[in-house]
Amino acid sequence: MKFGFFDDQNREYVITQPNTPLPWINYLGCQAYFGIISNTAGGYSFYRDARLRRLTRYRYNNAPMDFGGRYIYLRDDESRQFWSPSWQPTRHDLENYSCRHGMGYTVIGSTYNGIEAHTRYFVPLDENLEIWQLTVTNRRATRAQISTFASIEFCLWDAQDDATNFQRNFNIGQVEVEDGVIYHKTEYRERRNHFAYFGCSEQSAGFDTQREAFLGPYRGWDSPAAVEAGQLTNSIAHGWSPIGAHQVKLDLAPGETRQIAFVLGYQENPVDQKFDPEDSQTINKKQVKPVIAKYLDPKQADAAFERLRQHWDKLLGIFQVDTPDIHTNRMVNIWNAYQCMVTFNLSRSASFYESGIGRGLGFRDSNQDLLGFVHMAPERARQRILDLAATQLPTGGAYHQYQPLTKRGNNDIGGGFNDDPLWLIVGVSAYLKETGDWSILDEEVLFDNQPGSEKPLYEHLLRSFSYTLERLGPHGLPLIGRADWNDCLNLNCFSSTPGQSFQTTTNKGGQVAESVFIAGLFVSASRELAAIAKHCRLNAEADTYLREGTKMEQVVHEHGWDGEWFLRAYDDSGAKIGSKECAEGKIFIESNGFCVLAGIGLDDGRAAKALAATHEHLATKHGIVVLQPPYSKYYLNLGEISSYPPGYKENAGVFCHVNPWVMIGETRLGHGDQAHDYYSRINPSAREEISDLHRCEPYVYAQMIAGKDAPTFGEAKNSWLTGTAAWNYYAIVQWILGIRTTLDGLEIAPVIPKNWPGFKATRIFRGVVYHISIERKGDGNQISLIVDGSPIEGNLVLPPTDSRKEVTIKGFLGEPLHK
Ligand code: GLC
Ligand code: GLC
C-alpha cells in the first residue's frame, strides 16, 4: 500500500493522505539553520546545534509522535469552525490533502469547507531563518471571513535543559513585541547574545506569546481557546512557556487568493551591542529589522525560493544517470544524494529517532558520510576533514564524537573504538580522489585541539595507521577496544549493571579481544594510504603500507577464516565469534562484506565462498541481516548486541549501512545481478508499494529493517540519519554503475545486471563534464572505451590535458570492441 507518489519531475514526494504509518519528514535548511518538518507540519528548528541552540520546542516520545510544530489554523469567522490545513493538530476530514516534500522545502495544504490553503516552508540560502508562505483561496460561491493563526512554541535554547529543569525554566521566559514582530529573548539579559523572532507580513489582528493564554487551561494544540474564540489576547509572556502566535483576518471574495508570509529566525548581535538604547534591556533590532522586512516581501521570498531550487539543480547536476531501473534513477538522481547532504549536515543528531540532545558528530560516521557527499560540496568536505582530524588524539586514536558548536572531542564518550582512526584514511582518500586537491595533506592540524601540537594532515593518517599496528592481539589481528563498526559488539564490557552504558563501560583490559572486521578495514586502508604515498612519490613508505596490508591479509587468512566464511572476532577469552563452532551468531555480515570489499580472498575463491555463505545464511527478501542465528539471550561477553531481541538492530536486523559492503563485494566478484538485486531489496523507492509494512519514508533510507527473526520482519526504523545514505550511494554509483573516482582520474567499470542494455550518465568531475554512455554488447564486465572518438587502453579516463571542458565517453560492455 502506498500513501503518495513520486513526482520525479519536480523532485518531490507527494503524500496524499495525512495519516502515514509514521510521520514522514523532511529537512529545511542546508547550511547553519535547520528544521525538521513532518507531513502534518510537526517538527522543530535549530541553529547549528540541535541541543544548544534549539529555537522551537518539541516533545520527544510524544503521542502523537510528531506533535509540536509549525501549526496554522484557519477559522471561519461566521460559522466559528476552525481547522488546520496540515491536518494536525485538529485532524479534520480534509479534501485534497497533500504534502510535497522537496529539496529543502515542504508544501502542505488541503481544502476544507471551500477554503483552500497551502503553506510552503523553506530556509533561504545564506540566512538563519525560515519562511512560511501561506496561500489561502476562497473556492466558495460566497464571500468568506477567515481568521488565520500561525503558531510556534519557543524552546528555551538548551533543549536538554528545556525538557528537564522546570524549577528554573518556568521563571525565565521573556519576549518583546514590536511592530507586529514577536521576539523571544529568554536569557538574553545575561549571557546570550542571540534571540529568535517570528514576524508576519500582514496587518496583525492580534498576537499571543504566553502559551496558556493561547491554549487556555487544560487544553492542547488541537483546540486552542483563543483560536476557538476567534481572537488572540495580546498576551506577553513572563516566565512559563513563551510562544509566538499571530492572527490575520481575511475577507475573501469568491475565487480570491491571498498570501501571508511568516518568518521565523535566529539572530546574533555583537556582544557589546546587545541593547538599544545601550543602557536599556531592550533588544537592539537594527541588524535584524531589514532582514525580517526583506523576507516578508513576497517578491524577495519567491526569489529566495528560486535560488534554493537552482542550488539543488547545481548539486544534483553533478551526477545524473539514466538506467533501465526507475528506482535506481530516482534514488541516485534525487533522494539518495539529498539524504547524503542531510546526513553530512546533521550527522546523527536530529531526527525523530535522534533527539538532537545526545550525540554529536561521530568520528567514524562523519568520515563515512564523506563518501556520499564529497562531490557535492568539496570545500565543506575539506573543512569537515580538518575538523575531524583536529579531534584525533596524539596516539592516533580518536574521540568517538565531537560537538559541532565547539568542534571539540566529546569527553563523555571518549575514545577507544579501535576502528575509528582508520576511517580518517577512508575519508581523506575519498576527498583526494574527488578533488585532486593534494594541498590538504600539508594542512597543519592540531591533535586533540591542543595548541602547539599541529602536524600536517598526512601525519594524522600515519598515526591512524600505526594506531592499529600498535594494538594487535594474540592472533596478530587488531584489538577491538570498546567496539569496532558494530557499536554493540562490546567485547571488553562485561556489564551486569542495568543502565550502564555498553559503549563506555570497559571492565576488561582489552588485550585479547580482536576484530576481523578492523583487519579488513586495515587492509583496505593500507592500500588507500599506499596509493596516496605513491602519488606523493614516497615510494618506500608506500611499500611499507602495502607490506603491512599484505601481512594483515595473511593473518586474516590464517586466523580469520572459518572454512566457509570470514570469522567476526575473538572475544576476551580468545573464543571465536561468528564461527560455525558458535551456538548462535555463527556468521556475520561485516567481516564478510568488508574483507571482500578489501579484496581479501578474491584470487583463492574465499571471497566467492564468503559471499555465497552470506547469501545462503543472511540474505532475506528485505535485505541482508547482520548475523545468524540471532542471540536468543544476553551474553555477558558480547555486550549490547545480545541486549536486543532477535531481529532488531545489530542482533540480526537488516542494518542497511552494511548491505552495500556486500554489494560492492559482489561487484568485485563480477556479479552485477546479485549486486543490483541486493541494492533493490533495501532501495526505499523499490519498497514504496509496501509502505504499510516498511512504515518509514519511501524516499530515504532507514538505518534498520527488522530481520527475519523479528515478528515485524520488513518494518523499517530510524530513517534519515544513517551511514546507509552514503554507502548505498557509493555502492551504486562507484561500483555497480562503476563510475569511480581514483587519484588519477575517472575509472569506468560497470558491473550491472545482465539484462540492462546499458545506461547513460553525466558526471562533472574536477571541472570537466563527462557524458558517459554504456552499451552492452555481450555478457561479462569487460569494457572498452572510446573517449572523444578515440579508443583508449584500459578503463581509466585521465583528465584532459588541453582546455576541453566536456568529454564524451562511450563504453562497450561485454564482448571486446577491437579484436
Ligand atoms: C550506528 C552508529 C554507527 C555504528 C552503527 C553500528 O549507525 O551511528 O557509528 O557503526 O550504528 O553499530
Ligand atoms: C546504540 C545503537 C547503535 C548506535 C549506538 C550509538 O548502541 O544500538 O546502533 O550505534 O547506540 O551510541
Side-chain angles (χ1 to χ4, degrees):
M1 183 189 172
K2 301 203 290 182
F3 296 82
F5 60 91
F6 284 93
D7 178 347
D8 292 336
Q9 206 64 42
N10 287 306
R11 299 188 303 228
E12 291 172 340
Y13 191 81
V14 188
I15 299 164
T16 50
Q17 72 187 70
N19 55 342
T20 47
L22 291 163
W24 285 1
I25 70 166
N26 192 15
Y27 285 84
L28 309 176
C30 51
Q31 291 154 318
Y33 182 102
F34 297 101
I36 293 176
I37 184 161
S38 78
N39 57 305
T40 60
Y44 61 89
S45 300
F46 58 95
Y47 171 74
R48 283 193 195 277
D49 187 313
R51 171 168 172 181
L52 298 175
R53 293 280 193 283
R54 185 79 66 97
L55 264 84
T56 61
R57 186 171 279 163
Y58 176 74
R59 289 170 191 77
Y60 280 92
N61 210 354
N62 208 348
M65 191 176 177
D66 69 334
F67 228 59
R70 301 169 182 82
Y71 292 139
I72 286 176
Y73 305 83
L74 300 185
R75 181 180 186 272
D76 185 325
D77 285 336
E78 280 148 347
S79 72
R80 301 175 179 194
Q81 253 203 333
F82 66 91
W83 71 97
S84 304
S86 59
W87 194 57
Q88 291 281 33
T90 64
R91 291 193 304 283
H92 282 75
D93 266 330
L94 306 170
E95 291 163 59
N96 304 325
Y97 161 88
S98 74
C99 166
R100 292 182 165 265
H101 283 318
M103 304 289 105
Y105 68 90
T106 287
V107 186
I108 309 176
S110 61
T111 305
Y112 187 72
N113 271 348
I115 304 298
E116 184 186 314
H118 287 94
T119 313
R120 181 164 78 182
Y121 301 90
F122 72 100
V123 175
L125 291 173
D126 306 316
E127 298 289 2
N128 297 321
L129 58 89
E130 64 190 65
I131 304 179
W132 313 0
Q133 292 176 296
L134 168 66
T135 309
V136 185
T137 305
N138 179 8
R139 299 274 175 224
R140 299 176 185 167
T142 53
R143 288 195 88 83
Q145 310 294 327
I146 304 293
S147 272
T148 65
F149 304 86
S151 64
I152 43 112
E153 182 171 5
F154 291 111
C155 179
L156 307 183
W157 300 115
D158 180 334
Q160 165 83 31
D161 200 60
D162 181 74
T164 46
N165 193 7
F166 307 113
Q167 58 80 26
R168 170 179 162 86
N169 292 347
F170 286 162
N171 299 295
I172 61 176
Q174 288 193 301
V175 298
E176 283 177 30
V177 180
E178 193 180 308
D179 301 335
V181 180
I182 295 166
Y183 296 88
H184 174 230
K185 62 167 192 176
T186 301
E187 292 189 345
Y188 191 73
R189 66 202 312 281
E190 30 135 337
R191 291 155 298 178
R192 295 191 186 275
N193 63 329
H194 44 264
F195 57 90
Y197 55 86
F198 188 42
C200 169
S201 63
E202 306 304 299
Q203 172 77 41
S204 170
F207 64 86
D208 267 312
T209 67
Q210 183 59 278
R211 192 179 72 202
E212 193 168 275
F214 180 67
L215 297 183
Y218 295 96
R219 282 169 176 251
W221 293 87
D222 55 341
S223 61
V227 173
E228 190 179 282
Q231 185 57 57
L232 297 189
T233 69
N234 295 357
S235 59
I236 296 289
H238 300 283
W240 294 112
S241 302
I243 63 157
H246 290 289
Q247 178 175 5
V248 174
K249 292 197 174 183
L250 301 176
D251 175 8
L252 297 171
E256 187 181 351
T257 295
R258 288 276 299 277
Q259 213 189 70
I260 308 175
F262 303 94
V263 170
L264 171 67
Y266 169 93
Q267 178 76 19
E268 279 173 13
N269 270 339
V271 177
D272 56 353
Q273 294 165 37
K274 279 171 61 171
F275 302 107
D276 181 26
E278 232 174 273
D279 56 356
S280 75
Q281 288 288 298
T282 310
I283 299 174
N284 174 358
K285 306 183 184 79
K286 286 203 185 87
Q287 314 259 4
V288 78
K289 276 189 171 167
V291 181
I292 300 174
K294 176 172 176 190
Y295 290 104
L296 288 177
D297 172 353
K299 273 203 215 74
Q300 297 277 5
D302 288 346
F305 184 76
E306 201 37 50
R307 276 200 301 279
L308 181 66
R309 211 189 259 291
Q310 286 161 5
H311 174 72
W312 279 103
D313 284 344
K314 196 170 153 215
L315 289 182
L316 298 179
I318 296 168
F319 188 76
Q320 287 287 301
V321 72
D322 180 8
T323 78
D325 178 44
I326 185 168
H327 305 299
T328 301
N329 297 347
R330 154 186 303 155
M331 289 310 290
V332 170
N333 294 340
I334 307 170
W335 290 100
N336 193 1
Y338 180 61
Q339 187 181 2
C340 285
M341 172 69 113
V342 172
T343 54
F344 175 83
N345 279 325
L346 299 172
S347 190
R348 308 297 173 265
S349 76
S351 71
F352 276 180
Y353 306 85
E354 302 285 3
S355 67
I357 56 183
R359 301 211 246 168
L361 269 67
F363 193 90
R364 78 157 84 87
D365 292 344
S366 296
N367 274 301
Q368 292 171 79
D369 288 347
L370 289 169
L371 292 172
F373 170 81
V374 62
H375 65 294
M376 288 190 278
E379 334 68 51
R380 295 187 63 201
R382 187 181 210 273
Q383 190 55 51
R384 176 65 59 81
I385 287 171
L386 299 176
D387 290 347
L388 281 164
T391 67
Q392 189 177 28
L393 299 163
T395 58
Y399 284 102
H400 197 46
Q401 293 166 9
Y402 79 96
Q403 299 310 122
L405 212 57
T406 60
K407 297 189 175 178
R408 294 295 147 102
N410 181 334
N411 273 314
D412 297 341
I413 183 143
F417 296 76
N418 282 351
D419 65 318
D420 270 338
L422 291 172
W423 293 112
L424 183 65
I425 299 177
V426 174
V428 170
S429 171
Y431 175 79
L432 290 172
K433 289 175 184 169
E434 178 64 36
T435 61
D437 166 24
W438 292 88
S439 74
I440 193 172
L441 293 178
D442 301 325
E443 285 283 343
E444 297 279 327
V445 184
L446 302 175
F447 284 95
D448 194 9
N449 283 293
Q450 293 307 311
S453 66
E454 56 269 35
K455 284 274 183 303
L457 180 66
Y458 182 68
E459 170 71 20
H460 284 253
L461 302 186
L462 304 193
R463 292 212 195 165
S464 289
F465 189 75
S466 40
Y467 179 88
T468 307
L469 287 179
E470 286 158 12
R471 285 165 187 76
L472 300 179
H475 299 93
L477 291 162
L479 291 171
I480 196 167
R482 284 179 161 164
D484 59 22
W485 172 86
N486 191 326
D487 262 333
C488 299
L489 191 60
N490 314 119
L491 302 183
N492 293 301
C493 177
F494 292 83
S495 173
S496 53
T497 307
Q500 221 168 33
S501 158
F502 287 104
Q503 265 90 48
T504 57
T505 306
T506 38
N507 291 315
K508 291 287 169 147
Q511 297 308 308
V512 181
E514 299 166 291
S515 163
V516 177
F517 165 75
I518 300 183
L521 177 58
F522 180 84
V523 170
S524 172
S526 68
R527 288 168 189 161
E528 304 278 357
L529 191 56
I532 292 171
K534 209 171 202 147
H535 209 279
C536 301
R537 299 208 168 75
L538 301 167
N539 287 330
E541 287 187 26
D543 289 345
T544 311
Y545 308 141
L546 286 178
R547 211 168 36 244
E548 293 298 343
T550 305
K551 243 166 57 192
M552 186 65 77
E553 192 171 1
Q554 276 151 12
V555 177
V556 171
H557 277 301
E558 214 169 310
H559 299 291
W561 180 251
D562 195 51
E564 301 289 325
W565 55 77
F566 292 101
L567 282 177
R568 179 63 176 84
Y570 287 93
D571 74 6
D572 183 62
S573 69
K576 291 174 183 170
I577 294 174
S579 157
K580 57 178 181 293
E581 294 165 22
C582 304
E584 303 189 318
K586 289 174 190 285
I587 173 172
F588 277 67
I589 191 173
E590 302 99 302
S591 45
N592 287 296
F594 218 95
C595 285
V596 180
L597 177 156
I600 305 177
L602 280 181
D603 40 18
D604 65 2
R606 283 185 171 180
K609 259 193 175 165
L611 292 195
T614 301
H615 184 256
E616 183 183 342
H617 300 290
L618 302 181
T620 77
K621 62 178 175 181
H622 295 298
I624 311 167
V625 299
V626 174
L627 61 94
Q628 277 296 297
Y631 295 113
S632 61
K633 55 177 198 263
Y634 178 54
Y635 290 83
L636 192 64
N637 61 322
L638 301 182
E640 185 168 3
I641 192 164
S642 60
S643 77
Y644 288 111
Y648 293 107
K649 296 279 281 186
E650 283 86 341
N651 189 14
V654 175
F655 225 89
C656 298
H657 180 146
V658 284
N659 277 227
W661 299 351
V662 178
M663 297 170 205
I664 295 170
E666 291 289 357
T667 66
R668 299 213 62 175
L669 291 167
H671 302 160
D673 281 312
Q674 186 62 77
H676 193 264
D677 176 18
Y678 285 148
Y679 172 76
S680 302
R681 293 184 201 198
I682 60 168
N683 180 321
S685 162
R687 297 172 63 80
E688 187 195 14
E689 293 287 348
I690 52 164
S691 286
D692 43 340
L693 173 66
H694 184 81
R695 300 189 82 221
C696 282
E697 296 91 334
Y699 41 90
V700 290
Y701 286 95
Q703 180 199 61
M704 183 204 68
I705 298 173
K708 61 184 175 186
D709 306 292
T712 55
F713 182 35
E715 179 192 38
K717 282 198 193 112
N718 199 353
S719 53
W720 283 97
L721 303 184
T722 157
T724 308
W727 275 106
N728 275 280
Y729 189 83
Y730 177 68
I732 184 75
V733 170
Q734 302 224 12
W735 293 91
I736 299 177
L737 300 175
I739 301 182
R740 189 146 69 230
T741 55
T742 73
L743 295 176
D744 301 310
L746 265 193
E747 193 173 302
I748 311 291
V751 185
I752 54 176
K754 276 199 202 67
N755 65 4
W756 281 18
F759 68 89
K760 288 196 170 63
T762 315
R763 175 68 156 96
I764 303 177
F765 176 65
R766 301 190 194 174
V768 176
V769 186
Y770 292 87
H771 304 281
I772 304 164
S773 65
I774 305 293
E775 195 185 319
R776 188 177 277 297
K777 287 284 190 191
D779 286 346
N781 304 306
Q782 196 174 334
I783 190 149
S784 23
L785 297 180
I786 299 186
V787 178
D788 278 341
S790 319
I792 65 161
E793 285 294 321
N795 65 348
L796 180 64
V797 181
L798 297 173
T801 44
D802 51 26
S803 60
R804 267 176 303 159
K805 285 286 167 222
E806 304 216 12
V807 170
T808 302
I809 303 176
K810 282 194 189 335
F812 298 94
L813 200 59
E815 110 205 359
L817 182 68
H818 13 248
K819 295 259 146 56

